[in-house]
Amino acid sequence: MILPVILLAGCGSGYNFLGNAEMDASRMESEAIMADEAPMAGGDVQKISNALPPENQESGRKRIYNGTIGLIVDKTEEKRKELEQLTLDTGGYVESSYTDYMILRIPAAAFRETFSRILEMGTVTQQEISTLDVTDQYADSQQRLETARKTRERLYDLLEKSSDPEERSKILREIGRLSEEIESLNQQLILMENRIAFSRITVHLEPRLSDYISRSAIPFDWIATLDPLSPVSGKLKAKLKIDPGTGFAVFDREKYFAAENADGTTLFLSTLENNPRGDSGFWQQALSFHLSSYYEEAVPLTIALGDSEFQGLRFTSKDRTPYAYTVAVLTEGKKLHVLEIFSPDASADLSLLMKALNEGEIR
């Protein structure tokens, strides 16, 4: 039988993530300026610009830039149109636009200038920039793709020479598996290339109204600062094993777990200090009490991650085309593990992702 030799030459099953997320291998670079330190509109923009990351392709590295800006503005609709026009002028596009915020995709070369210009559009309450270095991950995916293609070609050659029905059946099954892996790797590379070429800037818009209820009144800082597009914490203090499935790019070299697909659905897992000390049920009730009024709907749920159960809520926004944002927690003594899922389309079917979580493991 020639088949076993060929199969051993094939590539692995794809992109399972297993390891201690506290590792020092993270290439995350971030700068966060809190509201009390952020400059007001018309402030020292040059100081902000100097803090921004270098050009995207410096030294041949492949980097993904993400920026977050919070603005208090007088007229949100006018500001929304202004932001859209600015984005189009750079050659970018508006990925999503909701009541509370906009997701802008900006050509990487224009990221720094555009970020600075947006800071001048209102009173700055938040600004944050993060850089993901995906150079090694990109090269690894390319290598695995090339290996999978070569292995499949050898199997096709072997199939033509084989007349044994049982052997042909095994070869066809392996060709099918490799074809699925090739498609998955292709999708991951396309997604990474798009994220490298077009940086993301999320702009939170708050109306300058006296009756506006600010999240700053929430007594738990981590709940007050929850953002559908950014993990609530920059680290995960647990060992995690998850394969989110075909179409997801897993950024597994960060200190927290992050996965994203081409539709914009994101999955984050990170860890906070469980302070004040509470169980999962306590934090589920806190999320409901403090955040439900911001959303059209808040549905309690339980998410199984292997043998562990996260308790939380699935929020649906008040937009005409609503998004869904799930926040669920798992307490472990002094640790509070937070699972976040964002879907740009609240009607999207996430059953396969939930199945992948159920088959995963956290320790």
Side-chain angles (χ1 to χ4, degrees):
M1 290 282 287
I2 307 175
L3 179 58
V5 177
I6 296 291
L7 298 187
L8 287 173
C11 49
S13 61
Y15 41 89
N16 280 347
F17 171 73
L18 177 61
N20 191 335
E22 298 178 83
M23 67 181 70
D24 294 330
S26 169
R27 300 181 185 274
M28 185 72 168
E29 304 169 15
S30 65
E31 175 182 0
I33 303 177
M34 303 307 293
D36 57 351
E37 299 175 338
M40 298 299 99
D44 186 359
V45 178
Q46 182 62 38
K47 181 175 65 175
I48 303 302
S49 180
N50 288 339
L52 298 181
E55 293 303 322
N56 200 45
Q57 298 302 330
E58 181 185 352
S59 304
R61 306 301 297 181
K62 293 185 179 295
R63 296 185 174 95
I64 297 174
Y65 297 155
N66 293 312
T68 301
I69 297 176
L71 292 177
I72 296 177
V73 298
D74 294 320
K75 299 179 180 179
T76 55
E77 285 308 311
E78 288 186 7
K79 196 60 61 179
R80 195 182 302 277
K81 292 177 182 178
E82 187 178 344
L83 285 165
E84 180 177 1
Q85 188 59 54
L86 173 62
T87 301
L88 295 176
D89 289 345
T90 67
Y93 60 95
V94 177
E95 181 176 286
S96 302
S97 181
Y98 303 103
T99 302
D100 297 339
Y101 62 88
M102 299 179 70
I103 305 172
L104 313 177
R105 289 291 176 180
I106 308 295
F111 175 77
R112 298 196 295 176
E113 179 184 357
T114 306
F115 192 90
S116 294
R117 290 181 64 180
I118 294 174
L119 289 173
E120 298 177 299
M121 292 185 175
T123 302
V124 179
T125 60
Q126 176 194 10
Q127 57 177 299
E128 180 179 342
I129 295 170
S130 64
T131 307
L132 298 175
D133 190 317
V134 296
T135 308
D136 296 339
Q137 184 173 347
Y138 186 89
D140 179 65
S141 294
Q142 282 187 316
Q143 181 61 47
R144 285 163 49 206
L145 178 61
E146 181 180 356
T147 301
R149 284 172 170 166
K150 289 181 179 179
T151 303
R152 188 174 64 174
E153 287 302 314
R154 291 197 294 269
L155 286 173
Y156 275 127
D157 291 340
L158 182 60
L159 185 65
E160 292 180 359
K161 299 174 183 177
S162 176
S163 58
D164 185 320
E166 183 178 351
E167 183 179 51
R168 287 177 63 86
S169 177
K170 291 180 179 179
I171 294 172
L172 286 170
R173 285 198 299 270
E174 184 62 13
I175 287 175
R177 186 193 69 79
L178 284 170
S179 295
E180 291 180 359
E181 182 171 351
I182 289 169
E183 176 62 23
S184 175
L185 288 168
N186 264 322
Q187 290 182 25
Q188 290 183 56
L189 285 168
I190 290 172
L191 174 61
M192 278 192 280
E193 287 168 357
N194 179 267
R195 296 301 183 251
I196 292 166
F198 289 90
S199 303
R200 182 179 68 199
I201 299 180
T202 305
V203 183
H204 296 260
L205 296 173
E206 300 180 10
R208 198 187 304 274
L209 298 175
S210 59
D211 59 348
Y212 178 74
I213 303 175
S214 173
R215 281 197 184 188
S216 62
I218 298 175
F220 308 114
D221 289 343
W222 74 270
I223 294 180
T225 57
L226 280 170
D227 182 341
L229 292 171
S230 300
V232 70
S233 169
K235 63 181 70 175
L236 175 64
K237 296 183 178 180
K239 291 185 177 180
L240 185 68
K241 181 180 180 181
I242 297 178
D243 178 0
T246 302
F248 275 88
V250 178
F251 303 104
D252 58 3
R253 290 179 173 84
E254 295 311 311
K255 290 185 177 180
Y256 58 88
F257 181 88
E260 182 177 356
N261 70 9
D263 296 329
T265 297
T266 57
L267 169 66
F268 295 124
L269 270 156
S270 59
T271 304
L272 295 162
E273 182 182 358
N274 186 12
N275 183 30
R277 188 74 65 89
D279 59 17
S280 299
F282 166 81
W283 288 115
Q284 182 183 44
Q285 292 179 25
L287 286 165
S288 178
F289 181 81
H290 293 292
L291 296 184
S292 292
S293 61
Y294 292 93
Y295 293 91
E296 182 68 29
E297 185 178 43
V299 179
L301 50 68
T302 299
I303 297 176
L305 178 49
D307 296 331
S308 303
E309 287 192 342
F310 284 71
Q311 296 183 43
L313 295 102
R314 182 181 187 272
F315 299 104
T316 304
S317 75
K318 298 178 180 179
D319 301 281
R320 180 175 300 177
T321 303
Y323 65 83
Y325 179 40
T326 295
V327 184
V329 300
L330 172 69
T331 56
E332 183 186 358
K334 296 181 180 180
K335 300 176 184 177
L336 179 66
H337 304 305
V338 183
L339 182 153
E340 301 171 77
I341 302 173
F342 169 77
S343 179
D345 182 358
S347 64
D349 182 4
L350 300 181
S351 58
L352 290 179
L353 179 58
M354 292 300 159
K355 182 175 183 292
L357 288 169
N358 190 37
E359 295 173 349
E361 183 180 5
I362 184 171
R363 290 183 180 178

